[in-house]
Amino acid sequence: MDRRIVAGNWKMNTTLREGVVLAEQLSQLVNRIPAGVEVIVAPPFTHLTEVRRALNPRIMLGAQDCSSRAQGAFTGDVSAEMLKDCGVEWVILGHSERRQYHGDDTPTLREKLGRVASVGLKPIFCVGEPENIRAQGQQNAWDWVAGQLKLLRGLGDSVLRELIVAYEPIWAIGTGKTATPEDAGWMCLRITRWLTSEIGEIGGMVPVLYGGSCNAANAKEIFSQPGVSGGLIGGASLKPEEFVSIACSF
Ligand code: PGA
């Protein structure tokens, strides 16, 4: 896998002003990142337009979710088309925090993937097992992840070509507990194998990122694992120096 990708998920952090400052700081540092590394940041919805203005064009804009509906009476929702209009390229879907707190189940995620695809946005689809499943061993963790991946079977080639999968074990997100580089690599490779056998050659080309307490100290070892194309970074993406240092860890 020759793509190298670092995506920052800001979650529900920063005021608008802080978000713009963060975008400006990242833009000043971005030249340190080796050419060819794809860099994405996903700020809160309210910041998208201003952050886009502040970002060096080398950094792509992402959103953290989108509505499963196209438009209409869905109070509080933000549609894929609205995101596209703000200059968003990527949309994180299926993050465990959305699955846990907002009921993003399989049918909802299928709808969301369809919406994203219909307006030409690119999904970053998250999968990952909870702690109790991981405690039952690697095979159980894999079975869980494979269950989540099934949703990707129906996607058309145009979406698959732009898809990123992020393996984020839930017990590692925001906890400071990271999967061992070997476990992260094993799972990412397994995902690629599954995508190849279930979807075909195009599935095997999909980059697979690791996410979960990834930081400047552990990124190099994780990214060096075969099968890992980079990281989806939460907490550490709020610190510009650290995020850039992670992006330099290939
Ligand atoms: P974390 O979050 O890096 O803070 O663990 C990762 C994520 O949820 O995308």
Side-chain angles (χ1 to χ4, degrees):
M1 176 55 58
D2 46 15
R3 280 175 72 186
R4 292 166 293 159
I5 303 163
V6 169
N9 174 9
W10 294 4
K11 308 195 180 186
M12 197 171 71
N13 291 299
T14 72
T15 61
L16 177 57
R17 182 75 210 128
E18 287 162 354
V20 169
V21 169
L22 177 52
E24 287 166 352
Q25 288 170 331
L26 281 173
S27 298
Q28 276 160 15
L29 299 170
V30 78
N31 289 339
R32 289 193 200 160
I33 301 174
V37 176
E38 298 169 59
V39 187
I40 304 164
V41 294
F45 289 141
T46 48
H47 301 15
L48 288 169
T49 307
E50 292 288 322
V51 164
R52 184 186 170 221
R53 265 191 217 125
L55 276 182
N56 180 307
R58 165 89 196 273
I59 306 173
M60 294 177 278
L61 191 62
Q64 299 172 20
D65 184 43
C66 78
S67 176
S68 59
R69 321 291 180 122
Q71 61 166 62
F74 302 105
T75 302
D77 275 6
V78 176
S79 74
E81 195 177 8
M82 291 170 186
L83 297 176
K84 173 111 178 161
D85 218 23
C86 292
V88 164
E89 270 182 73
W90 296 91
V91 184
I92 300 171
L93 290 179
H95 191 283
S96 60
E97 288 150 18
R98 299 293 316 176
R99 293 180 193 257
Q100 185 178 351
Y101 304 123
H102 297 275
D104 276 11
D105 55 10
T106 301
T108 308
L109 288 171
R110 186 172 287 121
E111 292 287 331
K112 290 188 176 190
L113 279 163
R115 295 289 163 218
V116 163
S118 72
V119 299
L121 293 175
K122 310 172 198 177
I124 301 175
F125 184 69
C126 303
V127 294
E129 79 286 357
E131 187 149 36
N132 63 323
I133 298 291
R134 168 57 62 167
Q136 293 162 20
Q138 200 176 44
Q139 183 59 40
N140 289 52
W142 164 247
D143 290 344
W144 181 279
V145 167
Q148 293 177 322
L149 288 170
K150 281 186 188 146
L151 181 55
L152 301 176
R153 268 188 191 136
L155 293 182
D157 282 6
S158 57
V159 192
L160 289 167
R161 242 178 245 119
E162 306 290 6
L163 174 71
I164 294 175
V165 170
Y167 168 58
E168 298 207 309
I170 296 172
W171 47 270
I173 295 176
T175 57
K177 288 189 230 169
T178 327
T180 65
E182 293 73 22
D183 279 348
W186 184 88
M187 194 61 100
C188 291
L189 263 186
R190 197 82 186 66
I191 290 171
T192 298
R193 267 191 220 131
W194 186 93
L195 290 167
T196 312
S197 69
E198 298 290 324
I199 291 175
E201 199 182 334
I202 196 165
M205 308 288 286
V206 170
V208 184
L209 311 184
Y210 169 78
S213 300
C214 189
N215 56 41
N218 60 29
K220 211 175 188 77
E221 215 184 336
I222 295 170
F223 296 175
S224 69
Q225 298 296 314
V228 179
S229 288
L232 180 54
I233 317 299
S237 72
L238 298 168
K239 301 172 199 152
E241 288 277 353
E242 177 151 22
F243 184 64
V244 167
S245 145
I246 293 170
C248 294
S249 300
F250 291 94

